Amino acid sequence: MRTRARFAAAVGAIVLMLAWAGRAQVPSGSQTRDPVVTLRVIVVTSAEAAETIASRLRSGESFALIAKSTSTAANADDGGWLGKQRLSELRPEVRAAVQGLAPGHFSPVVKIPTGFAIFEVERDDPAELDAAGVGPALASTGSVRIVADLSGFSEARTLLDTIPKPEDWNQTPSAACDAHTRSRAIGRTPVEALLANKQALAARSPLDQMQLYLGLGQLDAYEGKLGDAIARFQKAREIAAADIPDAMPRMDEALGVMCLHKAEMDSGVQEAPGDSCLLGINTRQPLRQPAEAQAAIDYFLRYLAGRPDDLEVRWQLNVAYRAIGGYPDKVPPRYLIPESAFRSAEDIGRFRDVASQAGLVSVGLAGGVIVEDLRNTGRFDVVTSSMDSCAPLRFLSNNGDGTFTERTAETGLSGQVGGLNIVPGDYNNDGCQDILVLRGGWEFLPQRMSLLRNDCNGRFTDVTMASGLGEPIGSQTAAWTDIDNDGFLDLFIGNETGAARLYRNLGNGTFADISRAAGIDHPAVTKGVTAMDYDHDRYPDLYVSNYGGNNFLYHNNRNGTFTEVSSAARVKGTPTGFAAWFFDYDNDGWPDLFVTSYVPSVEEIARRYVDEPRNGTTMKLYRNLGDGTFADVTAEAKLDRVQMPMGSNFGDVDNDGYLDMYLGTGHPSYAATVGAMLLHNKSGRSFVDVAASSGTGELHKGHGVAFADLDNDGDEDLVFLVGGATLGDRHALRLFENPGNGNDWIALKLVGVKSNRTAIGAEIKVTVEDATGASRSIYRTVGTGGSFGASPLLQHIGLGKTSKPVDIDIWWPTSGTRQHFTGVQKDQWLQVQEFDTKYSAVKRERVHLGGPVKKP
């Protein structure tokens, strides 16, 4: 019954859209005339049901829990969370109901187009969740403005959630593809019919008519039909001009965003991005088809005439002037964000995107990326996934000459569609990396993952059901780690739709779910997981990064159970957690912890470029003190900044021995074009953003990130899977070739015997001496890097400029074996097997990315 009710509510007006009444033109600086409230909502289909819920609320029941179990709105699973809303943006009937409500109080029943609603005004500090433990919050020092949701993602997700589906729709990838496609077709049909029926449409209020056009336009935008979306938005704007003048600013922003995105699509930017998509790189060359970008400028200027201090639209205006080749010269001075604001304080050399020349072509949505030697050829192949439920994985085979060829069909991966992330791991210790495909992330709808066994013959076999991993789960993050040191990789999976999962590898090709017994099954909206032995007791611990609540640090009790110690260890993270990883950023031998904070606000990011104080929570860097606790060193490391990172990872781009970071960005909205960040590690003391000088500041959303030496020239190149959450936001993968720097390096492939075959968790120390005779140590732990994107397990270790051979120490987790090698020549690839007293050199031919011509 609930599913049918939610479906009926959804097709009535596509989704609950409360804010389309528009942003009234409020004088600059007059915050008291445009107050902000933080809201939750419950929507049901009858007045009687709403009154029953109101009675339950008056008796003291949790608003969020009732929303989660009864609401027909798309945000029910988030406890009805709507977040911060300007009163001027709400529908008149909603504004009247919530205006003047004290925090913690709820409104009378309100009739809205999608049913009957009750609203609750949240308390001033939304960082603390109520007892329900649901609802994403944005902890902040002030009001955070969420980016305008202009993409159709919410509408499409609501329809997928509400249409009738077979019970087993989420058990096979192909069925999930069919459900996604049918849901949009079913959802748009009654709205199209209503808009075509002039008599029925005239019986609706102007506000309802406007919202119907907008809702259908959002679905058009989702599917990449930007021309149709703009036409519907323009029709909505005509209605607003005649009857709802307060909606005009909102409509101008929406049309500006849609026109700018269409200009990029018309110009082929999604397939061939070039420098036009790089923040800080100003070519002053217009898009091939800039007409729609000029239209966007006109809409943005119209909006800013009434709200000149609106940073979100001001940012979009500057991006639009870039698109016509008019930045910075033609930007009105009042709205200009100067070029100087984007310049890097350091220059580590200019990276060049050579993906197309190298045949590394993958155009798609948000997804994961694996760079690894998947065929044991001594060359790194690339696999990508896409959250498009109908798009297959792509296997890009390394030809050994600097080029790649797609061989998806030959590898048996064509039927593996969808997957917001992919994670490699040799679960059966046969020396061939297998692949785990994670689905359902961001959609909050459990779907079946896929475990793909690498058959060591160039093909993969789906062994999900046989392995015991067939339970649907909504996830985008997982970590392979050997929790009990038995030599087999276990699997820890973060969950967005319930409790996390921990599967113990039984060593016979199957897994056992030990989540509850292990004590890690706390429900959360988990966005990132990582595993490492942070206290050097030989057993890996687990860290969980959550969106909408505190993070978890599970200390391994060495008996199959874990204890949550985030408070004692002082690593609770932020209420807006996303990617997370352990890495030794300062080379003191203790794994430190980095946790991103995902704040989906263009305005907050723009504040940094115009020297305005931030409101949102920052990313966090925790330094390991070696006593089981950590210190928050975010500010001193110069990382106290707001960003919206999704895909991210770490590597050493300049071979100085200190690990750098690359942070992609993400939000479904077409307005969320803010630029990726390459953060250069300055000798373990602080980080500086070099995205502009390095040419790696891709403006569009990006997810899978991997660092890998693809041309065998001794430095790590950067693979960045770019793409958004909607069919209209496809983008080409970037391969940023490292320009080189002259520093030395060494690369180690470790092979486990008693420890797991791929040596995950093994620790490495390299001791180097520079030209002055000063000695230092560089530390690495074998793994694939961050929690979104997988770098090779072969450890590429920068040495700086060293004058002598190096010493290498290796510690193996299962056996406890320690190996020590002295006088090892630099600038070479080595293989080391557990227990061996000698290492072996591996020969790799240097190639030119894009063809047979060698680099000079």
Side-chain angles (χ1 to χ4, degrees), residues 679-694:
L679 297 169
H680 179 233
N681 187 337
K682 299 182 67 175
S683 302
R685 295 187 298 270
S686 63
F687 291 81
V688 61
D689 185 359
V690 295
S693 62
S694 64

Side-chain angles (χ1 to χ4, degrees), residues 284-295:
R284 291 177 172 79
Q285 294 296 316
L287 297 175
R288 294 203 308 268
Q289 301 290 333
E292 292 288 358
Q294 182 61 61

Side-chain angles (χ1 to χ4, degrees), residues 57-123:
L57 291 169
R58 284 190 291 270
S59 71
E61 289 193 48
S62 164
F63 192 100
L65 279 179
I66 295 177
K68 191 174 178 70
S69 61
T70 67
S71 180
T72 63
N75 58 359
D77 290 337
D78 292 331
W81 181 262
L82 285 170
K84 293 181 181 296
Q85 304 286 336
R86 286 192 177 98
L87 281 177
S88 65
E89 296 181 355
L90 300 175
R91 294 177 61 95
E93 65 271 31
V94 176
R95 185 187 312 140
V98 302
Q99 195 163 15
L101 279 180
H105 290 232
F106 59 89
S107 72
V109 176
V110 184
K111 178 69 172 72
I112 61 174
T114 53
F116 296 84
I118 302 173
F119 297 86
E120 182 184 55
V121 176
E122 285 289 289
R123 291 175 173 81

Side-chain angles (χ1 to χ4, degrees), residues 141-156:
T141 57
S143 176
V144 173
R145 175 183 168 190
I146 306 303
V147 61
D149 187 8
L150 298 165
S151 66
F153 179 80
S154 296
E155 287 79 355

Side-chain angles (χ1 to χ4, degrees), residues 156-157 160 163 165 169 175-185 222-223 387-390 443 445 447:
R157 190 270 178 199
L160 175 63
I163 67 162
K165 298 181 287 292
W169 76 274
C177 165
D178 179 65
H180 277 79
T181 304
R182 285 193 310 108
S183 65
R184 296 193 301 275
Y222 177 93
E223 295 177 346
M387 70 178 294
D388 177 358
S389 291
C390 300
E443 293 177 321
L445 292 173
Q447 298 177 41

Side-chain angles (χ1 to χ4, degrees), residues 490-661:
D490 309 298
L491 180 60
F492 182 54
I493 304 178
N495 192 356
E496 295 183 1
T497 57
R501 299 286 191 274
L502 180 59
Y503 293 96
R504 182 172 180 267
N505 191 330
L506 301 181
N508 60 1
T510 67
F511 294 81
D513 186 346
I514 61 169
S515 308
R516 178 165 296 182
I520 56 81
D521 59 336
H522 295 104
V525 180
T526 297
K527 293 296 186 180
V529 298
T530 185
M532 192 170 289
D533 176 14
Y534 75 87
D535 57 352
H536 290 329
D537 67 353
R538 286 191 57 203
Y539 285 79
D541 311 293
L542 309 173
Y543 190 79
V544 183
S545 181
N546 300 315
Y547 190 80
N550 291 328
N551 296 346
F552 307 136
L553 174 60
Y554 293 114
H555 180 257
N556 193 326
N557 297 326
R558 298 182 286 182
N559 60 3
T561 69
F562 292 78
T563 299
E564 206 287 300
V565 297
S566 60
S567 293
R570 299 182 295 185
V571 290
K572 295 181 72 172
T574 77
T576 54
F578 215 95
W581 58 72
F582 288 101
F583 71 150
D584 190 352
Y585 83 96
D586 55 358
N587 280 326
D588 67 351
W590 292 93
D592 310 299
L593 178 63
F594 177 70
V595 188
T596 65
S597 178
Y598 175 74
V599 180
S601 171
V602 171
E603 179 184 85
E604 283 299 302
I605 292 169
R607 285 174 178 272
R608 183 169 74 247
Y609 295 97
V610 296
D611 294 324
E612 290 192 9
R614 59 173 172 78
N615 291 324
T617 51
T618 72
M619 57 189 86
K620 293 291 184 182
L621 178 64
Y622 297 108
R623 183 171 180 267
N624 192 331
L625 300 181
D627 60 0
T629 68
F630 295 76
D632 186 342
V633 296
T634 308
E636 62 189 78
K638 303 294 190 293
L639 293 175
D640 53 340
R641 59 178 71 193
V642 176
Q643 191 70 6
M644 58 171 80
M646 286 190 175
S648 44
N649 211 327
F650 61 87
D652 183 0
V653 292
D654 59 347
N655 279 343
D656 66 352
Y658 291 94
L659 291 167
D660 313 300
M661 300 186 286

